[in-house]
Amino acid sequence: MFATPAYAQAAGGGAAAFGSFIPLILIFAIMYFFLIRPQQKKVKEHQAMVAALRRGDQVVTQGGLIGKVTRVKEEADNEVEVEIADGVKVRVVRSTISQVLSKTEPAA
């Protein structure tokens, strides 16, 4: 008799508390499948492309330079030497190579 409607509504709080988290869980799942997972896949593809660089590949850097790989330094240096014009060679960090235009055939 003395219970107000506010106290009566708070009695079944266990299922209602879980129900309020369902939209948050759904938002996280949607973010994972539409944003996080594709970005991780793209990063893995880029790492594989950079790891497969060979001498003679024509590449594009993130700065927009197009050149041919003349020397691939060891993994520890993490650098590639790229010839951007006749006799003009620059050292480029591997991760800044954004695209491989043409691949050379592996030496038999």
Side-chain angles (χ1 to χ4, degrees):
M1 289 226 201
F2 296 109
T4 62
Y7 290 124
Q9 288 177 353
F18 178 72
S20 66
F21 284 113
I22 290 176
L24 187 63
I25 293 169
L26 287 175
I27 289 171
F28 180 75
I30 290 170
M31 293 276 288
Y32 176 77
F33 284 109
F34 286 118
L35 296 175
I36 298 170
R37 194 166 159 227
Q39 186 64 29
Q40 289 175 342
K41 184 178 178 184
K42 186 176 178 182
V43 167
K44 284 183 184 180
E45 289 173 358
H46 183 263
Q47 287 175 345
M49 177 197 65
V50 168
L53 281 176
R54 284 191 296 255
R55 187 173 171 216
D57 291 349
Q58 190 170 3
V59 295
V60 178
T61 65
Q62 288 179 352
L65 296 174
I66 298 174
K68 184 180 277 190
V69 176
T70 57
R71 185 169 57 158
V72 179
K73 295 190 178 186
E74 296 178 20
E75 290 291 326
D77 290 339
N78 207 18
E79 293 178 359
V80 178
E81 192 171 275
V82 178
E83 184 175 15
I84 56 176
D86 292 333
V88 181
K89 296 179 182 178
V90 292
R91 291 183 351 199
V92 178
V93 177
R94 281 181 180 239
S95 61
T96 61
I97 294 177
S98 62
Q99 186 179 8
V100 176
L101 296 176
S102 63
K103 299 277 299 169
T104 57
E105 295 299 321

